[in-house]
Amino acid sequence: METNRQKKIGGVLQRDVADVIQLALREAGIQGILVSVTKVSVTTDLSIAKVYMSVFPHQEGERVLKEVNQVKSQIKHQVAQRTKNQLRRMPELSYFIDDSLEYISNIEEAVKGKEDPINNPDLLEKRKKK
């Protein structure tokens, strides 16, 4: 269970990390990739923050994560400059890919599938005419 303080810090970090990453991608000239920070969870001692990023298209997720980890210290510095009036200490940032959107789309495809009984009622045994 997160405390109110953890939630507030997570919200501040989420907004600022998203801005910094978007700016870094724009400066690097990377186009056609959308990166959003879906969640930031902060530990109880406020020393570590886990940043979950959603990348579209999801095939580019590993590449974006690798590039973000290469410039991790620069991102932390820029976020610290933005939050210096709100935080005493900047937590250590760890980055992860949030694959929940991909997971949801896989479930949706599995449910609909090629054999959709709603559109083709002949697939259901009970509905077949005798």
Side-chain angles (χ1 to χ4, degrees):
M1 188 72 185
E2 283 187 325
T3 64
N4 284 338
R5 180 81 176 140
Q6 287 173 292
K7 290 176 186 175
K8 287 178 184 177
I9 290 175
V12 168
L13 289 174
Q14 181 176 358
R15 184 183 62 239
D16 290 334
V17 168
D19 289 344
V20 169
I21 289 175
Q22 291 286 347
L23 183 65
L25 287 175
R26 209 174 305 126
E27 287 176 355
I30 298 175
Q31 294 181 346
I33 297 177
L34 178 66
V35 178
S36 63
V37 177
T38 55
K39 183 179 179 181
V40 175
S41 61
V42 183
T43 58
T44 53
D45 62 351
L46 308 176
S47 64
I48 299 172
K50 293 181 179 179
V51 179
Y52 295 93
M53 301 182 304
S54 178
V55 180
F56 182 80
H58 61 83
Q59 294 87 0
E60 300 290 329
E62 292 301 319
R63 187 180 81 147
V64 170
L65 181 63
K66 188 172 130 183
E67 290 180 18
V68 165
N69 280 324
Q70 287 176 351
V71 294
K72 189 185 222 181
S73 61
Q74 295 169 348
I75 293 173
K76 181 179 176 181
H77 177 72
Q78 290 178 3
V79 173
Q81 292 298 315
R82 290 174 177 232
T83 60
K84 64 183 175 187
N85 295 330
Q86 297 158 338
L87 299 175
R88 289 184 194 158
R89 278 189 51 213
M90 181 67 191
E92 192 62 38
L93 301 174
S94 304
Y95 298 95
F96 301 94
I97 294 294
D98 182 12
D99 59 352
S100 60
L101 293 176
E102 181 183 351
Y103 180 72
I104 290 170
S105 68
N106 287 342
I107 289 176
E108 189 174 311
E109 287 177 18
V111 169
K112 287 185 178 178
K114 295 178 182 175
E115 299 176 353
D116 188 3
I118 294 173
N119 292 329
N120 188 2
D122 294 334
L123 294 173
L124 296 174
E125 289 293 324
K126 293 180 181 178
R127 298 257 178 175
K128 288 186 179 177
K129 294 180 180 177
K130 295 180 183 178

